[in-house]
Amino acid sequence: MAKSRASIRDVARESGVSLTTVSLILNKNDQRISDPTRQRVLQAMERLAYTPSRLARGLPNRRANTLAVLVPALQNAFADVYFGEIISGIYEAAATRGYRILLEVARREYVRRKEYITLLDDCSVDGIFFIGATAEHRWLKDLDGSDRPVMIVNNHFKQWALNWVACDYPQAGRLAADRLVDLGHRRIGHICGPSDLVETSRELTEAFVGRLAERGVRLGSSMIVEGKFLVDIGKLACDELLARDPGLTAIFASNDKMAIGAYQSLRAHGRQPGVDVAVIGCDDIPNAALTEPPLSTIRLNFFEVGATSCRALLDMIEGKIDADSKPYHERTPVSMVTRGSCCEAASIVSA
Amino acid sequence: MAKSRASIRDVARESGVSLTTVSLILNKNDQRISDPTRQRVLQAMERLAYTPSRLARGLPNRRANTLAVLVPALQNAFADVYFGEIISGIYEAAATRGYRILLEVARREYVRRKEYITLLDDCSVDGIFFIGATAEHRWLKDLDGSDRPVMIVNNHFKQWALNWVACDYPQAGRLAADRLVDLGHRRIGHICGPSDLVETSRELTEAFVGRLAERGVRLGSSMIVEGKFLVDIGKLACDELLARDPGLTAIFASNDKMAIGAYQSLRAHGRQPGVDVAVIGCDDIPNAALTEPPLSTIRLNFFEVGATSCRALLDMIEGKIDADSKPYHERTPVSMVTRGSCCEAASIVSA
DNA sequence: GATCGCTGGTAAACTGTTTTACTAAAACGG
DNA sequence: CCGTTTTAGTAAAACAGTTTACCAGCGATC
């Protein structure tokens, strides 16, 4: 038994054909080989337990058949539902098209050395996803307008021309506004995300306020409080809103965690969420269905965002989309999930 | 400007040396090149913005400088603190030694096609980690006794000879037993994990019961209830224990989630955890410090398990450990974290 | 003064694949 | 029967590195 694995040459020798023939058979697209020959070669492969080397395969056309996912260097980035779902979606789409996923963390050193550029330049990877990117990540400007196959997942930036795929946050804002107005709410509070860093968060708020206005409900800026997507912050924000308008009948939070924080605040103020005050969240995290009352929310399909952005990036890489033209933009659909927490305004006895 | 990137040949030409010389300089270990030459070459690299291709580099010696992490196809494997911490540890250790991390999910098709073998055979990867592996994953026997660079993280198997690194669960069991006995507890319940699937879980229980026995406390099998590591299950298990011995004064759960479940059960039975019944968990998940009362627990450093297993695997790959000999085994240290939930037995007024 | 060993470097073979350009033989059309 | 396609296949040049074996020049040794 030979120490080293069989190569394409061994297969060629074993089946008495040229190595070109074997290669052609390997890349099934080419139909120039007769069936008998093909069979002979396939059998030889079988006998020799031949597996083509990815490394060698990538060399001639500089393709690694691998994509990288770059996540920010947060405490437990890998242990977060949000990132987890996006990565799962990317993985799924990549796997079905024969690509692998490389994991990279944007540590300080990593960014300083511009490793995300090296990654592409040294042929380790055919494209990169950036997840959890915010306007704070100034170094993204390195990629501004470049034709490198790079995709921002679930955010975008006015200042840099980059490809992105994100949930349809404007639509999410409109859905929440419509629902609250339909239920008769007029005195509404909104807990928004950090609009200066996260463009999608700004969109959401803008669309929400805009649609309310269209339907005749004016939401003053005093009834919009900003928070950084955490439960505790949601609680504080809601405290603030209640202080500003004790008579509010509904709250829309930009993510579920803050909505859950709002629950806590409401209870602390003797209000029952879903009875005294309607609450709508956004994201539909697994926990949303388990709260008491179950949280009505806008479902953002993060898995889908991951999968969609992956398909788009692969299309660019494989030349199915003209990458040289404009940056690629796409929004994935969102939907309203009605659970117990959004009651009618009419039923509320005003304070 | 040339369309394609600079290659090692371009650098050689630019600096007037042979390509061998450039290669030697690239692989810094070789000191045969004089300093002036080295400088000249380095400057040429700089001028040409040269980045060596990983693909081409790996080809001659069949090294991808990449490791794969294989996770089970669970609902949200990537969104779990446990996996997240291990992966972070692996990532850290791999990055400092110049290796990349590939993510793989052990889906049904993936396993059927033995892709984890292909991965190594096609030179995509130099080694593989299996995390979340249990005895249910029968296909692990494919690797039994093989000299492939494969590492089981935080579990092991009697039936298969495989490399593994895991937390020192026996020590964890002894620490918990000692602590409870020291505090005067004699009537103790234990919620264990699925011992038939997870060997480390069996070890933990065995060591816990063994040490109790050594110290004169007999824990009958009726006071050991098995559960699958979830909060709800912990609650049910604790209900069961309370039914079997309403006078128990302490509970040791094999993981923190189940300990938190036990809290719920205790409260439902009018017992206050940390006051009426001592509770010790295991893992030290982030949430453990935030429960009321804060959970005393055995700290298992999952990040460290990941990092340690990675260092070991790399040593094997790089030949620093004789891989042909025995499978590699190592246990990483654990420690007791004392918080509010483990009270003295003496203070408890027996029911 | 021939031999030895060291220093600094090079030529050429090798890794395992893809791809382009070519050819021999068979089939076909008029 | 001759020229043209078509079919089935091949040789050789990439791809971008590593590695082995070798060599010229030089000072030291005997």
Side-chain angles (χ1 to χ4, degrees):
Chain A
M1 163 190 137
K3 180 92 190 165
S4 65
R5 309 168 27 239
S7 84
I8 196 170
R9 282 182 176 79
D10 299 323
V11 176
R13 195 174 319 120
E14 174 85 6
S15 50
V17 300
S18 78
L19 104 189
T20 307
T21 306
V22 181
S23 174
L24 290 175
I25 293 174
L26 233 40
N27 303 279
K28 306 187 178 61
N29 45 11
D30 202 298
Q31 294 305 334
R32 288 195 299 177
I33 307 302
S34 70
D35 236 38
T37 310
R38 184 188 311 278
Q39 287 314 318
R40 211 145 36 88
V41 171
L42 290 176
Q43 279 164 23
M45 286 183 183
E46 190 77 20
R47 266 201 304 285
L48 299 174
Y50 169 68
T51 327
S53 153
R54 278 222 167 197
L55 233 45
R57 275 189 121 166
L59 194 48
N61 41 23
R62 291 173 180 163
R63 293 287 226 64
N65 290 299
T66 304
L67 304 172
V69 174
L70 191 62
V71 303
L74 301 176
Q75 187 58 26
N76 252 312
F78 296 137
D80 187 288
V81 194
Y82 173 69
F83 290 127
E85 289 201 0
I86 292 178
I87 294 177
S88 298
I90 292 174
Y91 179 88
E92 184 74 24
T96 63
R97 283 173 65 169
Y99 283 75
R100 306 224 150 111
I101 295 297
L102 211 59
L103 219 54
E104 301 275 310
V105 179
R107 314 266 287 289
R108 186 183 305 279
E109 256 310 273
Y110 188 93
V111 170
R112 204 186 55 70
R113 306 221 305 258
K114 297 189 195 293
E115 296 265 17
Y116 45 92
I117 304 275
T118 311
L119 207 54
L120 289 167
D121 286 355
D122 78 0
C123 301
S124 288
V125 138
D126 307 319
I128 308 187
F129 299 95
F130 291 77
I131 72 182
T134 74
E136 264 175 336
H137 302 122
R138 302 282 161 71
W139 43 273
L140 284 170
K141 76 167 184 318
D142 288 353
L143 300 161
D144 179 20
S146 100
D147 58 351
R148 289 182 216 266
V150 156
M151 179 69 74
I152 308 291
V153 185
N154 210 30
N155 198 10
H156 47 101
F157 307 98
K158 287 188 297 266
Q159 61 270 49
W160 304 310
L162 295 166
N163 307 304
W164 57 261
V165 169
C167 299
D168 194 344
Y169 283 94
Q171 176 64 5
R174 289 188 292 266
L175 285 174
D178 279 339
R179 174 57 51 94
L180 291 180
V181 174
D182 287 348
L183 289 170
H185 294 280
R186 294 292 175 273
R187 295 173 73 173
I188 298 171
H190 175 45
I191 307 175
C192 72
S195 333
D196 46 337
L197 291 182
V198 185
E199 179 68 14
T200 49
S201 180
R202 202 191 53 70
E203 286 183 327
L204 176 65
T205 295
E206 201 168 278
F208 178 67
V209 175
R211 175 57 61 98
L212 283 183
E214 279 170 41
R215 307 228 8 212
V217 178
R218 206 184 110 63
L219 190 69
S221 62
S222 72
M223 291 308 287
I224 302 177
V225 177
E226 191 169 305
K228 281 207 170 176
F229 291 140
L230 301 172
V231 175
D232 303 353
I233 309 284
K235 181 163 186 285
L236 294 176
C238 185
D239 289 344
E240 184 67 28
L241 287 174
L242 286 170
R244 292 185 186 168
D245 180 4
L248 62 76
T249 65
I251 287 176
F252 173 48
S254 287
N255 80 336
D256 289 344
K257 285 188 186 174
M258 293 198 295
I260 289 168
Y263 272 27
Q264 297 175 2
S265 164
L266 289 172
R267 291 219 169 83
H269 287 79
R271 306 278 220 304
Q272 209 179 323
V275 176
D276 302 324
V277 175
V279 178
I280 295 183
C282 189
D283 282 0
D284 197 23
I285 60 176
N287 216 20
L290 306 175
T291 55
E292 192 38 50
L295 183 65
S296 291
T297 187
I298 314 291
R299 171 151 181 71
L300 309 182
N301 196 333
F302 294 130
F303 181 96
E304 196 50 41
V305 177
T308 302
S309 63
C310 185
R311 285 188 292 260
L313 188 58
L314 287 179
D315 284 348
M316 291 172 47
I317 290 168
E318 293 173 356
K320 297 182 193 164
I321 292 182
D322 184 13
D324 295 336
S325 59
K326 298 253 164 87
Y328 183 91
H329 300 337
E330 183 173 351
R331 296 186 194 276
T332 61
V334 303
S335 59
M336 175 86 210
V337 178
T338 305
R339 299 201 184 93
S341 71
C342 57
C343 48
E344 286 185 45
S347 69
I348 300 175
V349 181
S350 186
Chain B
M1 165 190 135
K3 180 91 190 164
S4 63
R5 309 167 29 238
S7 82
I8 196 170
R9 284 177 173 80
D10 299 322
V11 176
R13 194 175 318 119
E14 174 85 5
S15 50
V17 299
S18 77
L19 104 185
T20 307
T21 307
V22 181
S23 174
L24 290 174
I25 291 175
L26 233 40
N27 303 279
K28 306 187 179 64
N29 46 9
D30 203 299
Q31 294 304 334
R32 289 196 299 180
I33 308 303
S34 71
D35 238 39
T37 310
R38 183 188 313 276
Q39 288 313 318
R40 212 145 36 88
V41 172
L42 290 176
Q43 280 165 23
M45 286 183 183
E46 190 77 18
R47 266 200 305 284
L48 298 175
Y50 169 69
T51 327
S53 154
R54 280 222 167 199
L55 234 45
R57 271 190 122 166
L59 192 48
N61 40 24
R62 294 174 178 158
R63 293 288 225 63
N65 290 299
T66 304
L67 304 173
V69 174
L70 189 63
V71 304
L74 300 176
Q75 186 57 26
N76 251 311
F78 296 136
D80 187 289
V81 194
Y82 173 69
F83 290 126
E85 289 202 0
I86 292 178
I87 294 177
S88 299
I90 292 175
Y91 180 87
E92 184 74 25
T96 63
R97 283 172 65 168
Y99 283 75
R100 306 225 151 110
I101 295 298
L102 212 58
L103 221 53
E104 301 275 309
V105 179
R107 313 267 286 290
R108 187 183 304 278
E109 257 308 274
Y110 189 93
V111 170
R112 206 186 54 69
R113 306 221 306 258
K114 296 189 195 292
E115 296 265 17
Y116 45 92
I117 304 274
T118 312
L119 206 54
L120 289 167
D121 285 357
D122 77 1
C123 301
S124 287
V125 138
D126 307 319
I128 309 187
F129 299 95
F130 291 78
I131 72 182
T134 73
E136 265 175 336
H137 302 123
R138 301 283 162 71
W139 43 273
L140 284 171
K141 76 166 185 315
D142 288 353
L143 300 161
D144 180 21
S146 100
D147 58 350
R148 289 183 216 267
V150 156
M151 178 70 73
I152 307 291
V153 186
N154 210 30
N155 198 9
H156 47 100
F157 307 98
K158 287 188 297 265
Q159 61 270 51
W160 305 312
L162 296 165
N163 308 304
W164 57 261
V165 169
C167 299
D168 193 345
Y169 284 93
Q171 176 64 3
R174 290 189 292 266
L175 285 174
D178 279 338
R179 174 57 50 94
L180 291 179
V181 175
D182 287 348
L183 289 169
H185 295 280
R186 295 293 176 270
R187 296 172 72 173
I188 299 171
H190 175 44
I191 307 174
C192 72
S195 331
D196 46 336
L197 292 183
V198 185
E199 177 68 12
T200 49
S201 182
R202 202 190 52 70
E203 287 183 326
L204 177 65
T205 295
E206 200 169 280
F208 179 67
V209 175
R211 176 57 62 97
L212 284 183
E214 279 171 42
R215 306 222 19 205
V217 177
R218 206 184 109 66
L219 191 69
S221 62
S222 71
M223 292 307 289
I224 303 178
V225 176
E226 192 169 304
K228 281 206 169 178
F229 291 141
L230 301 172
V231 175
D232 303 353
I233 309 284
K235 181 163 186 284
L236 294 176
C238 185
D239 289 344
E240 184 66 29
L241 288 174
L242 286 171
R244 292 185 188 167
D245 179 4
L248 63 73
T249 66
I251 288 176
F252 174 47
S254 287
N255 80 337
D256 288 345
K257 286 188 185 171
M258 294 198 294
I260 289 168
Y263 272 27
Q264 298 175 1
S265 164
L266 288 172
R267 291 220 169 82
H269 288 78
R271 305 277 220 307
Q272 209 180 322
V275 175
D276 302 324
V277 175
V279 177
I280 295 183
C282 190
D283 283 359
D284 197 21
I285 60 176
N287 216 20
L290 306 175
T291 55
E292 192 38 48
L295 183 65
S296 291
T297 187
I298 313 292
R299 171 152 181 69
L300 309 182
N301 196 331
F302 294 130
F303 182 96
E304 195 51 41
V305 177
T308 302
S309 63
C310 185
R311 284 188 293 261
L313 188 57
L314 288 179
D315 284 346
M316 290 171 48
I317 290 168
E318 293 173 357
K320 296 182 193 165
I321 293 181
D322 183 12
D324 294 335
S325 58
K326 298 252 164 86
Y328 183 89
H329 300 337
E330 183 173 350
R331 298 186 193 275
T332 62
V334 303
S335 59
M336 175 86 210
V337 178
T338 305
R339 299 201 182 94
S341 72
C342 56
C343 48
E344 285 185 47
S347 68
I348 300 175
V349 181
S350 186

